[in-house]
Structure formats: C-alpha cells, structure tokens
C-alpha cells in the first residue's frame, strides 16, 4: 500500500515538473554542472595522482637514491675557466655505504658518460651508464630482447652493452641486432640486450634510462672512459672529475629506510667538505604524494560542495515560487483531507526527483569530460566507483535538504486562506 502511494506521489511529482519543462530544466542546471564538475575533477585528480604514485613506486619504496651534484662554489670556479671541477660521490663512498650499514641489502653504482656511438650506419650520442647487475634488480625493467648484465660480465670486464628500448629504436636496433657491435667513442661493445624504457620522473629523481641509454659494466666504463670528462662549448673548456654519479641503495624494510638515509647523510658529511650530493628517498616522496592527494581531494570536495550548494539554493528558490503558484491547489488538497505530512512528502518528492535527475545528467557530463581530456591531451584520468556514486548521493541529499523548507512552508499554509488565493 505504502509502495503504491509512493509510486503515485513520484508520478504526480514528475507530472508537476513536466508542466514547466523549461523551468525544471533550468533549475536542474546548477546540480548538473555541480555534479559534472565534481566527477570530472575527481577523475582528473585521481589520474594525475595515480600516475605520480606509480612513478615513485617504480623507484622502489625500499630504495634510497644518492646523486652527485655540483656544489655552488664549483659553479663559480667553472665560470672563470680556471680549474677542473672535482665533486660528487667517490668509489670510497660506495664502499662505505655498501659495507658500513647493517640494514643495507643491495647497492648499485651508476657512472654516466656521454659519447657519440655508432651501430651499423646509424650514429647517435648515447648516455653510457656504467653499473652492475644489481641495478636491474633495484630498478626493474622488462627485457625486450637478449639479456641484462651479469656477474660474469663484471668479472671478465666484458665490453658488452644493454640498450634501452628508446635508444634501440633510434639506432634501428631490434632483436636481430643482439650480438652485433656497437661502437661507443672509439671502442667496440657487443649488444647483449634491449630493456624497456621508462618515461617520466618522480619528484626530482630522474630514472637513468629516460634518455638514449646504454648500460655497460662499471669497471669497463672506468677503464675505457676514466673519471675526467671534458666538455667544450662556446669557446670554453670545462673539465669535471666525478667518480660516481649515483648510488642506489636498497634497505631491508620500509621502516629502516628513512633512519638509514639519515645515517648515510651523516656519514657523507664527515667525508665531504662541501655539499656535493643529494639524498632522495622515494618512500618519503610517496608519503608526500599521498598527503598531497588527500589535500587535493579536500580542496576538490570543497569546490564541489560550493557548486552543489549553489544548485541547492536554486532548487529551493524555484520550489518556494512553486509553492506560491500552487497555493490554491494546496488549499484544495487540505480541504479534502490531505494531512500536512502528505503535503511535505509531495513537495519533497518533487525536489528529490529534480535533484536526482540533475545528478544523473551531471554524471553523464562528468564522465564525458575526462574522456575528452584523455582523448585530446593524452592526460590520464581515472573514474572510480566512489567518485561517481558520491556526487549522485550528495545531489539526492541536496534535494531533501533544500526541499525541506519549501515543503514545510507549503504544509503550513492555512487551507481557508489558500482557497481564497488567486
């Protein structure tokens, strides 16, 4: 019986709204744009956040990345074209980090040299990364062809090279290239594998294979290319001595990551007179990114709340006007026995129908906008279930909250006065 009455009331509410189609549609617009903007903003925010978190996770939540940086005083010396800059991490630092901390599980040194390279008829400047097999365990990359560096390559100091997918494509290298000779500078290297490239960066940490990279055993890099690099540009001659450009450290558990990073920094301070290194902790970046995401969601929620509030006020105004227009109808219903509760329910049903319909249309708009953004700009967007249901539920709630006052106002109309209303 109650269900039948509810269905009848809903049908009556829809019928009343359809009597003024344009006005009902204009009333819904506030909710439509409010819900649409909430869904779109949440999906864009979720997509950007997911992408950033994924990049950080790729660096390893148990890893610490220590990088060489040129100190400020070295910059001024270089500009005078007088001295050779000597800075950054040393092989001794690497030994101290590898053996001096009990929570350190694995380490990988990174030495970077830029050299003109040639594969067949194709030449290109490569970023040559001297490292060990541990690098491929700490910064996992899918193998596309061949293999990565092994301990045997390190022991034999074999002149072998692993290309990144991006670099291989630029050199027109493919699976059939495995085993061929790659000339780096004047030296010959055998191509033993191609690994998948990773794009983007996390925070201020750059993943080494973002460029056209070739990975070779670190001892070979040291023996063939040395530690001193000379760069000539605009008539200036810049010489730098950097033993290691980066050291990646894996810690045994996440709770030991930040204390160990602090301990490593203290150790480096003792052996470095100047600040020529930076320590980056992906775990800290991950926590920071997650905190930023929470703040971002709060800001979006606030903006969405304002949009929906405006929509709700619009509904209330229109319903108040509707109560005034239908005063005589209310009087007739009261005169034939309708209770105040039934008048309240009738007007509440109309506002809920109005706001829910606006919410459903807004969902369609909100789902379409991220689709267009992804299609046009390539930006990642993610629609989540709570990002769809929450705005819809809020729109229904707004229908109840902002419809309550006009409904009560209608129920309090005196039937005799209402019947005299013109």
């Amino acid at each position: 019986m109650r269900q039948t009455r509810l269905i009848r009331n809903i049908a009556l509410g829809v019928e009343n709204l359809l009597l003024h189609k344009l006005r009902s549609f204009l009333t819904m617009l506030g909710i439509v744009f409010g819900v649409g903007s909430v869904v779109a903003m949440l999906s864009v925010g979720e997509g950007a956040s997911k992408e950033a978190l994924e990049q950080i996770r790729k660096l390893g939540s148990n890893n610490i990345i220590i990088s060489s940086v040129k100190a400020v005083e070295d910059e001024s010396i270089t500009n005078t074209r007088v001295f050779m800059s000597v800075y950054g991490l040393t092989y001794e630092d690497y030994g101290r980090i590898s053996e001096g901390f009990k929570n350190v599980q694995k380490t990988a040194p990174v030495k970077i040299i830029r050299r003109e390279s040639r594969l067949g008829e194709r030449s290109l400047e490569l970023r040559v990364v001297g490292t060990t097999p541990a690098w491929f365990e700490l910064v996992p990359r899918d193998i596309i062809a061949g293999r990565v560096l092994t301990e045997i390559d390190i022991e034999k100091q074999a002149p072998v090279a692993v290309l990144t997918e991006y670099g291989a494509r630029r050199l027109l290298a493919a699976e059939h290239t495995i085993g061929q000779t790659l000339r780096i500078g004047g030296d010959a290297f055998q191509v033993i594998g191609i690994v998948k490239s990773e794009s983007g960066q996390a925070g201020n940490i750059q993943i080494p294979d973002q460029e056209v990279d070739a990975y070779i055993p670190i001892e070979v890099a040291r023996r063939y290319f040395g530690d001193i690099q000379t760069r000539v540009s605009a008539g200036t001659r810049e010489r730098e001595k950097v033993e290691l450009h980066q050291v990646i450290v894996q810690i045994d558990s996440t709770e030991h990551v930040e204390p160990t990073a602090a301990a490593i920094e203290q150790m480096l301070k003792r052996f470095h007179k100047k600040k020529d290194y930076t320590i980056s902790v992906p775990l800290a970046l991950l926590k920071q990114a997650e905190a930023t995401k929470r703040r971002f969601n709060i800001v979006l929620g606030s903006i969405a709340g304002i949009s929906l509030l405006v929509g709700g006020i619009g509904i209330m105004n229109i319903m108040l006007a509707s109560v005034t227009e239908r005063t005589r109808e209310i009087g007739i219903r009261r005169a034939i026995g309708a209770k105040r509760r039934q008048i309240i329910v009738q007007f509440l049903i109309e506002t809920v129908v109005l706001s829910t319909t606006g919410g459903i249309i807004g969902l369609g708009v909100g789902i379409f906008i991220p689709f267009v953004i992804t299609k046009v700009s390539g930006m990642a967007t993610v629609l989540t279930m709570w990002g769809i249901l929450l705005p819809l539920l809020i729109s229904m709630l707004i229908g109840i909250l902002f419809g309550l006052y006009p409904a009560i106002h209608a129920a309090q109309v005196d039937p005799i006065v209402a019947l005299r209303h013109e």
Side-chain angles (χ1 to χ4, degrees), residues 70 74 77-78 81-87 227-230 237-242 274:
K70 187 182 282 188
D74 280 353
I77 288 170
T78 303
R81 296 187 254 173
V82 177
F83 298 109
M84 176 174 68
S85 298
V86 181
Y87 66 91
D227 295 326
I228 299 173
Q229 306 294 316
T230 304
R237 194 177 178 83
E238 187 179 334
R239 300 184 75 201
E240 289 183 345
K241 182 180 180 184
V242 183
K274 53 195 176 185

Side-chain angles (χ1 to χ4, degrees), residues 90-392:
T90 64
Y91 298 111
E92 288 182 344
D93 291 331
Y94 177 67
R96 293 186 194 106
I97 294 168
S98 301
E99 297 167 9
F101 299 89
K102 64 176 182 180
N103 296 319
V104 170
Q105 271 193 333
K106 203 167 282 182
T107 53
V110 175
K111 185 175 184 62
I112 298 173
I113 310 109
R114 290 186 180 277
R115 283 288 185 279
E116 190 70 20
S117 307
R118 177 174 288 277
L119 182 65
E121 298 299 317
R122 196 93 171 172
S123 66
L124 191 68
E125 185 185 83
L126 285 181
R127 190 168 70 163
V128 183
V129 180
T131 189
T132 63
W135 192 92
F136 296 94
E137 296 174 37
L138 300 184
V139 191
R141 296 286 179 268
D142 293 336
I143 299 174
I144 294 176
R147 63 174 176 85
V148 295
L149 298 177
T150 63
E151 291 297 339
I152 295 173
D153 296 325
I154 302 298
E155 287 171 16
K156 292 183 176 178
Q157 296 191 14
V160 293
V162 178
L163 294 171
T164 54
E165 179 189 10
Y166 179 62
R169 203 178 298 130
R170 297 278 305 275
L171 284 165
L172 301 181
E175 198 167 346
H176 67 272
T177 317
I178 304 300
Q180 291 189 13
T181 299
L182 170 71
R183 300 203 74 83
I184 302 177
D187 302 300
F189 288 78
Q190 183 187 18
V191 178
I192 59 169
I194 299 172
V195 295
K196 192 171 182 181
S197 292
E198 293 290 344
S199 60
Q201 67 178 58
N204 60 350
I205 305 173
Q206 283 198 336
I207 301 168
D209 71 350
Q210 282 180 310
E211 297 190 31
V212 184
D213 290 343
Y215 298 90
I216 65 173
I218 188 161
E219 284 303 325
V220 176
R222 192 178 177 185
R223 183 155 55 92
Y224 282 22
F225 307 112
D227 295 326
I228 299 173
Q229 306 294 316
T230 304
R231 281 185 293 180
V232 179
S233 60
T236 62
R237 194 177 178 83
E238 187 179 334
R239 300 184 75 201
E240 289 183 345
K241 182 180 180 184
V242 183
E243 293 185 9
L244 287 175
H245 291 81
Q246 206 172 65
V247 175
I248 302 175
V249 185
Q250 187 183 59
I251 308 301
D252 56 359
S253 65
T254 50
E255 62 257 32
H256 294 145
V257 170
E258 288 176 283
T260 307
I264 289 173
E265 183 157 26
Q266 287 301 317
M267 182 276 290
L268 290 174
K269 276 182 182 173
R270 286 205 306 276
F271 294 98
H272 287 248
K273 293 178 182 174
K274 53 195 176 185
K275 178 75 173 174
D276 55 357
Y277 57 87
T278 59
I279 297 180
S280 303
V281 181
L283 181 65
L285 287 174
L286 189 64
K287 288 179 181 175
Q288 190 181 350
E290 285 173 340
T292 305
K293 180 187 171 186
R294 282 194 293 275
R295 285 195 291 272
F296 192 60
N297 284 342
I298 291 171
V299 172
L300 287 179
S302 304
I303 295 170
I306 294 168
S307 303
L308 291 171
L309 182 69
V310 172
I313 291 171
I315 287 180
M316 188 171 68
N317 286 337
I318 295 298
M319 289 310 293
L320 282 172
S322 178
V323 169
T324 305
E325 285 177 3
R326 294 160 62 188
T327 302
R328 190 171 176 79
E329 174 196 328
I330 295 167
I332 293 170
R333 291 192 63 190
R334 290 296 310 278
I336 60 176
K339 295 178 181 174
R340 285 184 174 174
R341 178 168 48 85
Q342 291 171 319
I343 300 294
I344 291 174
V345 169
Q346 180 59 47
F347 275 89
L348 270 183
I349 284 175
E350 288 184 23
T351 54
V352 171
V353 168
L354 205 57
S355 62
T356 304
T357 307
I360 292 170
I361 296 172
L363 278 184
V365 174
I367 292 170
F368 180 69
I369 291 172
F371 172 75
V372 172
I373 290 173
T374 304
K375 203 76 178 171
V376 173
S377 67
M379 185 188 294
T381 55
V382 176
L383 283 166
T384 60
M385 189 56 76
W386 71 269
I388 292 174
L389 290 180
L390 187 66
L392 185 61

